Amino acid sequence: NKLFGLRKNTYSEEQYQKGFRLEFSEIRRNETSPLTYHKTLGIADNIMEKRNAKKSGLDEKIFLNQKGQISEGTVSNIFFVRSGKLYTPDLSCGLLPGILREYLCETENVEEAVIYPAELGQYEECFVTNSLMGIMPVNQLGEWKSESREVTNQLLKKYESI
């Protein structure tokens, strides 16, 4: 069975200019569950955390898995940039492999890696993706703040051109 729905794109130009402000969720992803890797209607944790983020003045929350590794956002996949190279959490970290994530992994120099919050200082940039928002720059994740947007802006322009 398949369920399709239409949603209005609620992301504003101001959000793309400003960038998202993210925080880590207290809820952990179960990287051992086969359901974690499929888009199902069982996404109550995601909905609840997205609402909690908005109430706190944030744009989104990022889930860690049971091992404390960065997994995914409530409605997005996450990418980091170091020295011009893209990094995204490995599938084994317990995440839904989104369509835009797959596209970037196939068309760009992306390394799937295990990334811990304590390692964020090694990265200059961060962005999140999903099919509705496309590529959204991140200016803050917890205490970490983005130093640059060069690669993110290049990818955003390239994505918008197609």
Side-chain angles (χ1 to χ4, degrees):
N1 294 333
K2 294 185 182 196
L3 175 65
F4 295 95
L6 297 175
R7 288 189 302 181
K8 180 181 168 192
N9 186 345
T10 59
Y11 300 102
S12 69
E13 185 59 37
E14 181 183 339
Q15 287 177 300
Y16 290 96
Q17 295 298 319
K18 184 179 171 188
F20 267 15
R21 206 169 126 236
L22 313 175
E23 186 59 72
F24 291 107
S25 173
E26 296 295 320
I27 297 171
R28 298 292 178 113
R29 274 287 173 259
N30 180 1
E31 72 278 4
T32 64
S33 171
L35 295 179
T36 298
Y37 303 94
H38 299 282
K39 194 163 201 158
T40 68
L41 296 177
I43 58 167
D45 287 345
N46 298 52
I47 294 168
M48 182 180 69
E49 281 300 86
K50 181 71 171 175
R51 288 178 181 163
N52 287 339
K54 290 291 184 192
K55 286 180 189 173
S56 301
L58 301 166
D59 296 291
E60 180 160 30
K61 291 211 178 173
I62 299 297
F63 293 111
L64 303 176
N65 65 18
Q66 295 175 348
K67 297 175 184 173
Q69 302 160 342
I70 295 174
S71 178
E72 64 181 344
T74 59
V75 297
S76 67
N77 290 118
I78 189 164
F79 289 80
F80 298 94
V81 180
R82 180 174 58 219
S83 301
K85 184 171 181 177
L86 303 175
Y87 296 84
T88 193
D90 190 83
L91 289 178
S92 68
C93 295
L95 55 106
L96 180 68
I99 294 168
L100 190 47
R101 178 189 183 279
E102 183 178 337
Y103 170 79
L104 289 173
C105 287
E106 290 175 358
T107 62
E108 303 296 328
N109 183 17
V110 178
E111 181 176 325
E112 294 181 274
V114 172
I115 304 168
Y116 291 90
E119 300 170 346
L120 291 182
Q122 300 174 16
Y123 300 96
E124 297 96 31
E125 301 180 47
C126 178
F127 61 90
V128 290
T129 64
N130 73 29
S131 294
L132 186 59
M133 80 170 91
I135 297 171
M136 178 64 73
V138 170
N139 67 11
Q140 185 173 352
L141 171 53
E143 299 298 316
W144 176 88
K145 292 186 179 185
S146 177
E147 298 173 11
S148 171
R149 274 193 152 156
E150 186 178 337
V151 174
T152 303
N153 286 341
Q154 289 172 1
L155 288 169
L156 188 53
K157 279 184 181 179
K158 182 178 178 181
Y159 180 71
E160 288 173 345
S161 74
I162 56 167

mmCIF file with all atom_site columns, all heavy atoms in Angstrom, residues 121-146:
data_model
loop_
_atom_site.group_PDB
_atom_site.id
_atom_site.type_symbol
_atom_site.label_atom_id
_atom_site.label_alt_id
_atom_site.label_comp_id
_atom_site.label_asym_id
_atom_site.label_entity_id
_atom_site.label_seq_id
_atom_site.pdbx_PDB_ins_code
_atom_site.Cartn_x
_atom_site.Cartn_y
_atom_site.Cartn_z
_atom_site.occupancy
_atom_site.B_iso_or_equiv
_atom_site.pdbx_formal_charge
_atom_site.auth_seq_id
_atom_site.auth_comp_id
_atom_site.auth_asym_id
_atom_site.auth_atom_id
_atom_site.pdbx_PDB_model_num
ATOM 1   N N   . GLY A 1 121 ? 33.309 20.301 16.051 1.00 0.00 ? 121 GLY A N   1
ATOM 2   C CA  . GLY A 1 121 ? 34.324 21.333 15.873 1.00 0.00 ? 121 GLY A CA  1
ATOM 3   C C   . GLY A 1 121 ? 35.237 21.090 14.685 1.00 0.00 ? 121 GLY A C   1
ATOM 4   O O   . GLY A 1 121 ? 35.932 22.002 14.229 1.00 0.00 ? 121 GLY A O   1
ATOM 5   N N   . GLN A 1 122 ? 35.229 19.884 14.147 1.00 0.00 ? 122 GLN A N   1
ATOM 6   C CA  . GLN A 1 122 ? 36.055 19.544 12.978 1.00 0.00 ? 122 GLN A CA  1
ATOM 7   C C   . GLN A 1 122 ? 35.411 20.018 11.662 1.00 0.00 ? 122 GLN A C   1
ATOM 8   O O   . GLN A 1 122 ? 36.043 19.945 10.618 1.00 0.00 ? 122 GLN A O   1
ATOM 9   C CB  . GLN A 1 122 ? 36.243 18.028 12.883 1.00 0.00 ? 122 GLN A CB  1
ATOM 10  C CG  . GLN A 1 122 ? 36.907 17.385 14.061 1.00 0.00 ? 122 GLN A CG  1
ATOM 11  C CD  . GLN A 1 122 ? 36.911 15.871 13.946 1.00 0.00 ? 122 GLN A CD  1
ATOM 12  O OE1 . GLN A 1 122 ? 36.689 15.309 12.873 1.00 0.00 ? 122 GLN A OE1 1
ATOM 13  N NE2 . GLN A 1 122 ? 37.157 15.194 15.053 1.00 0.00 ? 122 GLN A NE2 1
ATOM 14  N N   . TYR A 1 123 ? 34.175 20.476 11.720 1.00 0.00 ? 123 TYR A N   1
ATOM 15  C CA  . TYR A 1 123 ? 33.438 20.831 10.507 1.00 0.00 ? 123 TYR A CA  1
ATOM 16  C C   . TYR A 1 123 ? 33.216 22.342 10.422 1.00 0.00 ? 123 TYR A C   1
ATOM 17  O O   . TYR A 1 123 ? 33.015 23.001 11.439 1.00 0.00 ? 123 TYR A O   1
ATOM 18  C CB  . TYR A 1 123 ? 32.093 20.098 10.476 1.00 0.00 ? 123 TYR A CB  1
ATOM 19  C CG  . TYR A 1 123 ? 32.259 18.600 10.487 1.00 0.00 ? 123 TYR A CG  1
ATOM 20  C CD1 . TYR A 1 123 ? 32.174 17.869 11.671 1.00 0.00 ? 123 TYR A CD1 1
ATOM 21  C CD2 . TYR A 1 123 ? 32.535 17.907 9.316  1.00 0.00 ? 123 TYR A CD2 1
ATOM 22  C CE1 . TYR A 1 123 ? 32.351 16.491 11.683 1.00 0.00 ? 123 TYR A CE1 1
ATOM 23  C CE2 . TYR A 1 123 ? 32.712 16.534 9.319  1.00 0.00 ? 123 TYR A CE2 1
ATOM 24  C CZ  . TYR A 1 123 ? 32.620 15.832 10.503 1.00 0.00 ? 123 TYR A CZ  1
ATOM 25  O OH  . TYR A 1 123 ? 32.798 14.469 10.515 1.00 0.00 ? 123 TYR A OH  1
ATOM 26  N N   . GLU A 1 124 ? 33.250 22.851 9.182  1.00 0.00 ? 124 GLU A N   1
ATOM 27  C CA  . GLU A 1 124 ? 33.047 24.291 8.961  1.00 0.00 ? 124 GLU A CA  1
ATOM 28  C C   . GLU A 1 124 ? 31.589 24.627 8.634  1.00 0.00 ? 124 GLU A C   1
ATOM 29  O O   . GLU A 1 124 ? 31.144 25.742 8.874  1.00 0.00 ? 124 GLU A O   1
ATOM 30  C CB  . GLU A 1 124 ? 33.904 24.789 7.783  1.00 0.00 ? 124 GLU A CB  1
ATOM 31  C CG  . GLU A 1 124 ? 35.394 24.668 7.995  1.00 0.00 ? 124 GLU A CG  1
ATOM 32  C CD  . GLU A 1 124 ? 35.968 23.394 7.387  1.00 0.00 ? 124 GLU A CD  1
ATOM 33  O OE1 . GLU A 1 124 ? 35.441 22.903 6.371  1.00 0.00 ? 124 GLU A OE1 1
ATOM 34  O OE2 . GLU A 1 124 ? 36.950 22.880 7.958  1.00 0.00 ? 124 GLU A OE2 1
ATOM 35  N N   . GLU A 1 125 ? 30.877 23.666 8.038  1.00 0.00 ? 125 GLU A N   1
ATOM 36  C CA  . GLU A 1 125 ? 29.519 23.932 7.577  1.00 0.00 ? 125 GLU A CA  1
ATOM 37  C C   . GLU A 1 125 ? 28.610 22.756 7.893  1.00 0.00 ? 125 GLU A C   1
ATOM 38  O O   . GLU A 1 125 ? 29.067 21.639 8.113  1.00 0.00 ? 125 GLU A O   1
ATOM 39  C CB  . GLU A 1 125 ? 29.479 24.146 6.052  1.00 0.00 ? 125 GLU A CB  1
ATOM 40  C CG  . GLU A 1 125 ? 30.317 25.277 5.541  1.00 0.00 ? 125 GLU A CG  1
ATOM 41  C CD  . GLU A 1 125 ? 30.233 25.417 4.030  1.00 0.00 ? 125 GLU A CD  1
ATOM 42  O OE1 . GLU A 1 125 ? 29.109 25.390 3.474  1.00 0.00 ? 125 GLU A OE1 1
ATOM 43  O OE2 . GLU A 1 125 ? 31.294 25.551 3.398  1.00 0.00 ? 125 GLU A OE2 1
ATOM 44  N N   . CYS A 1 126 ? 27.324 23.060 7.845  1.00 0.00 ? 126 CYS A N   1
ATOM 45  C CA  . CYS A 1 126 ? 26.302 22.031 8.053  1.00 0.00 ? 126 CYS A CA  1
ATOM 46  C C   . CYS A 1 126 ? 25.068 22.441 7.267  1.00 0.00 ? 126 CYS A C   1
ATOM 47  O O   . CYS A 1 126 ? 24.778 23.637 7.119  1.00 0.00 ? 126 CYS A O   1
ATOM 48  C CB  . CYS A 1 126 ? 25.984 21.934 9.546  1.00 0.00 ? 126 CYS A CB  1
ATOM 49  S SG  . CYS A 1 126 ? 24.692 20.740 9.971  1.00 0.00 ? 126 CYS A SG  1
ATOM 50  N N   . PHE A 1 127 ? 24.342 21.460 6.749  1.00 0.00 ? 127 PHE A N   1
ATOM 51  C CA  . PHE A 1 127 ? 23.047 21.718 6.135  1.00 0.00 ? 127 PHE A CA  1
ATOM 52  C C   . PHE A 1 127 ? 22.177 20.489 6.295  1.00 0.00 ? 127 PHE A C   1
ATOM 53  O O   . PHE A 1 127 ? 22.674 19.388 6.564  1.00 0.00 ? 127 PHE A O   1
ATOM 54  C CB  . PHE A 1 127 ? 23.167 22.135 4.658  1.00 0.00 ? 127 PHE A CB  1
ATOM 55  C CG  . PHE A 1 127 ? 23.805 21.124 3.743  1.00 0.00 ? 127 PHE A CG  1
ATOM 56  C CD1 . PHE A 1 127 ? 23.042 20.174 3.079  1.00 0.00 ? 127 PHE A CD1 1
ATOM 57  C CD2 . PHE A 1 127 ? 25.181 21.141 3.527  1.00 0.00 ? 127 PHE A CD2 1
ATOM 58  C CE1 . PHE A 1 127 ? 23.630 19.254 2.224  1.00 0.00 ? 127 PHE A CE1 1
ATOM 59  C CE2 . PHE A 1 127 ? 25.772 20.229 2.667  1.00 0.00 ? 127 PHE A CE2 1
ATOM 60  C CZ  . PHE A 1 127 ? 25.000 19.285 2.013  1.00 0.00 ? 127 PHE A CZ  1
ATOM 61  N N   . VAL A 1 128 ? 20.862 20.703 6.175  1.00 0.00 ? 128 VAL A N   1
ATOM 62  C CA  . VAL A 1 128 ? 19.916 19.599 6.242  1.00 0.00 ? 128 VAL A CA  1
ATOM 63  C C   . VAL A 1 128 ? 19.144 19.554 4.930  1.00 0.00 ? 128 VAL A C   1
ATOM 64  O O   . VAL A 1 128 ? 19.044 20.555 4.222  1.00 0.00 ? 128 VAL A O   1
ATOM 65  C CB  . VAL A 1 128 ? 18.958 19.716 7.452  1.00 0.00 ? 128 VAL A CB  1
ATOM 66  C CG1 . VAL A 1 128 ? 19.702 19.480 8.755  1.00 0.00 ? 128 VAL A CG1 1
ATOM 67  C CG2 . VAL A 1 128 ? 18.229 21.047 7.477  1.00 0.00 ? 128 VAL A CG2 1
ATOM 68  N N   . THR A 1 129 ? 18.621 18.379 4.616  1.00 0.00 ? 129 THR A N   1
ATOM 69  C CA  . THR A 1 129 ? 17.919 18.195 3.347  1.00 0.00 ? 129 THR A CA  1
ATOM 70  C C   . THR A 1 129 ? 16.629 17.401 3.544  1.00 0.00 ? 129 THR A C   1
ATOM 71  O O   . THR A 1 129 ? 16.535 16.557 4.434  1.00 0.00 ? 129 THR A O   1
ATOM 72  C CB  . THR A 1 129 ? 18.787 17.414 2.331  1.00 0.00 ? 129 THR A CB  1
ATOM 73  O OG1 . THR A 1 129 ? 19.025 16.086 2.831  1.00 0.00 ? 129 THR A OG1 1
ATOM 74  C CG2 . THR A 1 129 ? 20.113 18.101 2.069  1.00 0.00 ? 129 THR A CG2 1
ATOM 75  N N   . ASN A 1 130 ? 15.676 17.692 2.689  1.00 0.00 ? 130 ASN A N   1
ATOM 76  C CA  . ASN A 1 130 ? 14.544 16.817 2.450  1.00 0.00 ? 130 ASN A CA  1
ATOM 77  C C   . ASN A 1 130 ? 13.938 17.236 1.116  1.00 0.00 ? 130 ASN A C   1
ATOM 78  O O   . ASN A 1 130 ? 14.308 18.277 0.558  1.00 0.00 ? 130 ASN A O   1
ATOM 79  C CB  . ASN A 1 130 ? 13.536 16.775 3.614  1.00 0.00 ? 130 ASN A CB  1
ATOM 80  C CG  . ASN A 1 130 ? 12.691 18.009 3.778  1.00 0.00 ? 130 ASN A CG  1
ATOM 81  O OD1 . ASN A 1 130 ? 12.387 18.738 2.832  1.00 0.00 ? 130 ASN A OD1 1
ATOM 82  N ND2 . ASN A 1 130 ? 12.292 18.265 5.014  1.00 0.00 ? 130 ASN A ND2 1
ATOM 83  N N   . SER A 1 131 ? 13.028 16.462 0.614  1.00 0.00 ? 131 SER A N   1
ATOM 84  C CA  . SER A 1 131 ? 12.489 16.717 -0.720 1.00 0.00 ? 131 SER A CA  1
ATOM 85  C C   . SER A 1 131 ? 11.677 18.004 -0.803 1.00 0.00 ? 131 SER A C   1
ATOM 86  O O   . SER A 1 131 ? 11.574 18.592 -1.873 1.00 0.00 ? 131 SER A O   1
ATOM 87  C CB  . SER A 1 131 ? 11.621 15.550 -1.173 1.00 0.00 ? 131 SER A CB  1
ATOM 88  O OG  . SER A 1 131 ? 12.422 14.407 -1.342 1.00 0.00 ? 131 SER A OG  1
ATOM 89  N N   . LEU A 1 132 ? 11.107 18.448 0.296  1.00 0.00 ? 132 LEU A N   1
ATOM 90  C CA  . LEU A 1 132 ? 10.314 19.668 0.283  1.00 0.00 ? 132 LEU A CA  1
ATOM 91  C C   . LEU A 1 132 ? 11.184 20.921 0.410  1.00 0.00 ? 132 LEU A C   1
ATOM 92  O O   . LEU A 1 132 ? 11.065 21.848 -0.372 1.00 0.00 ? 132 LEU A O   1
ATOM 93  C CB  . LEU A 1 132 ? 9.276  19.632 1.409  1.00 0.00 ? 132 LEU A CB  1
ATOM 94  C CG  . LEU A 1 132 ? 8.271  20.760 1.446  1.00 0.00 ? 132 LEU A CG  1
ATOM 95  C CD1 . LEU A 1 132 ? 7.460  20.821 0.161  1.00 0.00 ? 132 LEU A CD1 1
ATOM 96  C CD2 . LEU A 1 132 ? 7.344  20.594 2.640  1.00 0.00 ? 132 LEU A CD2 1
ATOM 97  N N   . MET A 1 133 ? 12.095 20.933 1.385  1.00 0.00 ? 133 MET A N   1
ATOM 98  C CA  . MET A 1 133 ? 12.931 22.126 1.599  1.00 0.00 ? 133 MET A CA  1
ATOM 99  C C   . MET A 1 133 ? 14.135 22.171 0.678  1.00 0.00 ? 133 MET A C   1
ATOM 100 O O   . MET A 1 133 ? 14.720 23.222 0.478  1.00 0.00 ? 133 MET A O   1
ATOM 101 C CB  . MET A 1 133 ? 13.374 22.233 3.057  1.00 0.00 ? 133 MET A CB  1
ATOM 102 C CG  . MET A 1 133 ? 14.540 21.347 3.439  1.00 0.00 ? 133 MET A CG  1
ATOM 103 S SD  . MET A 1 133 ? 15.218 21.681 5.051  1.00 0.00 ? 133 MET A SD  1
ATOM 104 C CE  . MET A 1 133 ? 14.289 20.593 6.075  1.00 0.00 ? 133 MET A CE  1
ATOM 105 N N   . GLY A 1 134 ? 14.523 21.043 0.122  1.00 0.00 ? 134 GLY A N   1
ATOM 106 C CA  . GLY A 1 134 ? 15.748 20.999 -0.670 1.00 0.00 ? 134 GLY A CA  1
ATOM 107 C C   . GLY A 1 134 ? 16.951 20.998 0.253  1.00 0.00 ? 134 GLY A C   1
ATOM 108 O O   . GLY A 1 134 ? 17.074 20.136 1.116  1.00 0.00 ? 134 GLY A O   1
ATOM 109 N N   . ILE A 1 135 ? 17.820 21.975 0.100  1.00 0.00 ? 135 ILE A N   1
ATOM 110 C CA  . ILE A 1 135 ? 19.030 22.102 0.916  1.00 0.00 ? 135 ILE A CA  1
ATOM 111 C C   . ILE A 1 135 ? 18.880 23.344 1.784  1.00 0.00 ? 135 ILE A C   1
ATOM 112 O O   . ILE A 1 135 ? 18.753 24.453 1.274  1.00 0.00 ? 135 ILE A O   1
ATOM 113 C CB  . ILE A 1 135 ? 20.280 22.214 0.018  1.00 0.00 ? 135 ILE A CB  1
ATOM 114 C CG1 . ILE A 1 135 ? 20.440 20.930 -0.805 1.00 0.00 ? 135 ILE A CG1 1
ATOM 115 C CG2 . ILE A 1 135 ? 21.519 22.502 0.860  1.00 0.00 ? 135 ILE A CG2 1
ATOM 116 C CD1 . ILE A 1 135 ? 21.516 21.008 -1.873 1.00 0.00 ? 135 ILE A CD1 1
ATOM 117 N N   . MET A 1 136 ? 18.889 23.146 3.099  1.00 0.00 ? 136 MET A N   1
ATOM 118 C CA  . MET A 1 136 ? 18.720 24.250 4.042  1.00 0.00 ? 136 MET A CA  1
ATOM 119 C C   . MET A 1 136 ? 20.004 24.444 4.851  1.00 0.00 ? 136 MET A C   1
ATOM 120 O O   . MET A 1 136 ? 20.433 23.537 5.562  1.00 0.00 ? 136 MET A O   1
ATOM 121 C CB  . MET A 1 136 ? 17.567 23.954 5.001  1.00 0.00 ? 136 MET A CB  1
ATOM 122 C CG  . MET A 1 136 ? 17.340 25.023 6.043  1.00 0.00 ? 136 MET A CG  1
ATOM 123 S SD  . MET A 1 136 ? 16.831 26.632 5.387  1.00 0.00 ? 136 MET A SD  1
ATOM 124 C CE  . MET A 1 136 ? 15.135 26.273 4.901  1.00 0.00 ? 136 MET A CE  1
ATOM 125 N N   . PRO A 1 137 ? 20.624 25.604 4.740  1.00 0.00 ? 137 PRO A N   1
ATOM 126 C CA  . PRO A 1 137 ? 21.827 25.873 5.542  1.00 0.00 ? 137 PRO A CA  1
ATOM 127 C C   . PRO A 1 137 ? 21.503 25.820 7.041  1.00 0.00 ? 137 PRO A C   1
ATOM 128 O O   . PRO A 1 137 ? 20.391 26.157 7.465  1.00 0.00 ? 137 PRO A O   1
ATOM 129 C CB  . PRO A 1 137 ? 22.206 27.303 5.138  1.00 0.00 ? 137 PRO A CB  1
ATOM 130 C CG  . PRO A 1 137 ? 21.524 27.544 3.832  1.00 0.00 ? 137 PRO A CG  1
ATOM 131 C CD  . PRO A 1 137 ? 20.274 26.725 3.866  1.00 0.00 ? 137 PRO A CD  1
ATOM 132 N N   . VAL A 1 138 ? 22.480 25.408 7.822  1.00 0.00 ? 138 VAL A N   1
ATOM 133 C CA  . VAL A 1 138 ? 22.366 25.381 9.281  1.00 0.00 ? 138 VAL A CA  1
ATOM 134 C C   . VAL A 1 138 ? 23.399 26.354 9.824  1.00 0.00 ? 138 VAL A C   1
ATOM 135 O O   . VAL A 1 138 ? 24.573 26.286 9.449  1.00 0.00 ? 138 VAL A O   1
ATOM 136 C CB  . VAL A 1 138 ? 22.618 23.961 9.838  1.00 0.00 ? 138 VAL A CB  1
ATOM 137 C CG1 . VAL A 1 138 ? 22.752 23.971 11.351 1.00 0.00 ? 138 VAL A CG1 1
ATOM 138 C CG2 . VAL A 1 138 ? 21.512 23.014 9.389  1.00 0.00 ? 138 VAL A CG2 1
ATOM 139 N N   . ASN A 1 139 ? 22.959 27.256 10.692 1.00 0.00 ? 139 ASN A N   1
ATOM 140 C CA  . ASN A 1 139 ? 23.938 28.164 11.281 1.00 0.00 ? 139 ASN A CA  1
ATOM 141 C C   . ASN A 1 139 ? 24.315 27.774 12.699 1.00 0.00 ? 139 ASN A C   1
ATOM 142 O O   . ASN A 1 139 ? 25.331 28.217 13.216 1.00 0.00 ? 139 ASN A O   1
ATOM 143 C CB  . ASN A 1 139 ? 23.480 29.635 11.205 1.00 0.00 ? 139 ASN A CB  1
ATOM 144 C CG  . ASN A 1 139 ? 22.277 29.925 12.050 1.00 0.00 ? 139 ASN A CG  1
ATOM 145 O OD1 . ASN A 1 139 ? 21.850 29.118 12.864 1.00 0.00 ? 139 ASN A OD1 1
ATOM 146 N ND2 . ASN A 1 139 ? 21.708 31.087 11.853 1.00 0.00 ? 139 ASN A ND2 1
ATOM 147 N N   . GLN A 1 140 ? 23.500 26.904 13.330 1.00 0.00 ? 140 GLN A N   1
ATOM 148 C CA  . GLN A 1 140 ? 23.835 26.480 14.684 1.00 0.00 ? 140 GLN A CA  1
ATOM 149 C C   . GLN A 1 140 ? 23.233 25.117 14.981 1.00 0.00 ? 140 GLN A C   1
ATOM 150 O O   . GLN A 1 140 ? 22.073 24.851 14.652 1.00 0.00 ? 140 GLN A O   1
ATOM 151 C CB  . GLN A 1 140 ? 23.319 27.502 15.694 1.00 0.00 ? 140 GLN A CB  1
ATOM 152 C CG  . GLN A 1 140 ? 23.723 27.200 17.107 1.00 0.00 ? 140 GLN A CG  1
ATOM 153 C CD  . GLN A 1 140 ? 23.349 28.331 18.069 1.00 0.00 ? 140 GLN A CD  1
ATOM 154 O OE1 . GLN A 1 140 ? 22.927 29.399 17.658 1.00 0.00 ? 140 GLN A OE1 1
ATOM 155 N NE2 . GLN A 1 140 ? 23.511 28.076 19.350 1.00 0.00 ? 140 GLN A NE2 1
ATOM 156 N N   . LEU A 1 141 ? 24.026 24.269 15.615 1.00 0.00 ? 141 LEU A N   1
ATOM 157 C CA  . LEU A 1 141 ? 23.578 22.964 16.105 1.00 0.00 ? 141 LEU A CA  1
ATOM 158 C C   . LEU A 1 141 ? 24.094 22.832 17.529 1.00 0.00 ? 141 LEU A C   1
ATOM 159 O O   . LEU A 1 141 ? 25.289 22.640 17.739 1.00 0.00 ? 141 LEU A O   1
ATOM 160 C CB  . LEU A 1 141 ? 24.098 21.822 15.231 1.00 0.00 ? 141 LEU A CB  1
ATOM 161 C CG  . LEU A 1 141 ? 23.871 20.394 15.746 1.00 0.00 ? 141 LEU A CG  1
ATOM 162 C CD1 . LEU A 1 141 ? 22.412 20.138 16.086 1.00 0.00 ? 141 LEU A CD1 1
ATOM 163 C CD2 . LEU A 1 141 ? 24.373 19.378 14.739 1.00 0.00 ? 141 LEU A CD2 1
ATOM 164 N N   . GLY A 1 142 ? 23.204 22.982 18.488 1.00 0.00 ? 142 GLY A N   1
ATOM 165 C CA  . GLY A 1 142 ? 23.643 22.996 19.883 1.00 0.00 ? 142 GLY A CA  1
ATOM 166 C C   . GLY A 1 142 ? 24.570 24.178 20.100 1.00 0.00 ? 142 GLY A C   1
ATOM 167 O O   . GLY A 1 142 ? 24.257 25.307 19.741 1.00 0.00 ? 142 GLY A O   1
ATOM 168 N N   . GLU A 1 143 ? 25.747 23.919 20.630 1.00 0.00 ? 143 GLU A N   1
ATOM 169 C CA  . GLU A 1 143 ? 26.746 24.964 20.869 1.00 0.00 ? 143 GLU A CA  1
ATOM 170 C C   . GLU A 1 143 ? 27.593 25.258 19.633 1.00 0.00 ? 143 GLU A C   1
ATOM 171 O O   . GLU A 1 143 ? 28.249 26.295 19.557 1.00 0.00 ? 143 GLU A O   1
ATOM 172 C CB  . GLU A 1 143 ? 27.666 24.559 22.028 1.00 0.00 ? 143 GLU A CB  1
ATOM 173 C CG  . GLU A 1 143 ? 26.943 24.363 23.350 1.00 0.00 ? 143 GLU A CG  1
ATOM 174 C CD  . GLU A 1 143 ? 26.285 25.642 23.839 1.00 0.00 ? 143 GLU A CD  1
ATOM 175 O OE1 . GLU A 1 143 ? 26.928 26.710 23.770 1.00 0.00 ? 143 GLU A OE1 1
ATOM 176 O OE2 . GLU A 1 143 ? 25.114 25.577 24.278 1.00 0.00 ? 143 GLU A OE2 1
ATOM 177 N N   . TRP A 1 144 ? 27.591 24.340 18.660 1.00 0.00 ? 144 TRP A N   1
ATOM 178 C CA  . TRP A 1 144 ? 28.402 24.502 17.454 1.00 0.00 ? 144 TRP A CA  1
ATOM 179 C C   . TRP A 1 144 ? 27.754 25.531 16.531 1.00 0.00 ? 144 TRP A C   1
ATOM 180 O O   . TRP A 1 144 ? 26.541 25.541 16.351 1.00 0.00 ? 144 TRP A O   1
ATOM 181 C CB  . TRP A 1 144 ? 28.518 23.164 16.727 1.00 0.00 ? 144 TRP A CB  1
ATOM 182 C CG  . TRP A 1 144 ? 29.243 23.236 15.429 1.00 0.00 ? 144 TRP A CG  1
ATOM 183 C CD1 . TRP A 1 144 ? 30.588 23.121 15.241 1.00 0.00 ? 144 TRP A CD1 1
ATOM 184 C CD2 . TRP A 1 144 ? 28.668 23.439 14.124 1.00 0.00 ? 144 TRP A CD2 1
ATOM 185 N NE1 . TRP A 1 144 ? 30.883 23.247 13.906 1.00 0.00 ? 144 TRP A NE1 1
ATOM 186 C CE2 . TRP A 1 144 ? 29.734 23.446 13.198 1.00 0.00 ? 144 TRP A CE2 1
ATOM 187 C CE3 . TRP A 1 144 ? 27.382 23.625 13.655 1.00 0.00 ? 144 TRP A CE3 1
ATOM 188 C CZ2 . TRP A 1 144 ? 29.528 23.622 11.840 1.00 0.00 ? 144 TRP A CZ2 1
ATOM 189 C CZ3 . TRP A 1 144 ? 27.174 23.812 12.305 1.00 0.00 ? 144 TRP A CZ3 1
ATOM 190 C CH2 . TRP A 1 144 ? 28.242 23.801 11.406 1.00 0.00 ? 144 TRP A CH2 1
ATOM 191 N N   . LYS A 1 145 ? 28.600 26.398 15.965 1.00 0.00 ? 145 LYS A N   1
ATOM 192 C CA  . LYS A 1 145 ? 28.114 27.392 14.999 1.00 0.00 ? 145 LYS A CA  1
ATOM 193 C C   . LYS A 1 145 ? 28.896 27.275 13.704 1.00 0.00 ? 145 LYS A C   1
ATOM 194 O O   . LYS A 1 145 ? 30.109 27.052 13.716 1.00 0.00 ? 145 LYS A O   1
ATOM 195 C CB  . LYS A 1 145 ? 28.245 28.798 15.569 1.00 0.00 ? 145 LYS A CB  1
ATOM 196 C CG  . LYS A 1 145 ? 27.296 29.036 16.721 1.00 0.00 ? 145 LYS A CG  1
ATOM 197 C CD  . LYS A 1 145 ? 27.320 30.462 17.175 1.00 0.00 ? 145 LYS A CD  1
ATOM 198 C CE  . LYS A 1 145 ? 26.329 30.620 18.322 1.00 0.00 ? 145 LYS A CE  1
ATOM 199 N NZ  . LYS A 1 145 ? 26.207 31.982 18.758 1.00 0.00 ? 145 LYS A NZ  1
ATOM 200 N N   . SER A 1 146 ? 28.198 27.454 12.608 1.00 0.00 ? 146 SER A N   1
ATOM 201 C CA  . SER A 1 146 ? 28.804 27.368 11.279 1.00 0.00 ? 146 SER A CA  1
ATOM 202 C C   . SER A 1 146 ? 29.811 28.486 11.075 1.00 0.00 ? 146 SER A C   1
ATOM 203 O O   . SER A 1 146 ? 29.551 29.635 11.410 1.00 0.00 ? 146 SER A O   1
ATOM 204 C CB  . SER A 1 146 ? 27.706 27.460 10.218 1.00 0.00 ? 146 SER A CB  1
ATOM 205 O OG  . SER A 1 146 ? 28.259 27.460 8.937  1.00 0.00 ? 146 SER A OG  1
#
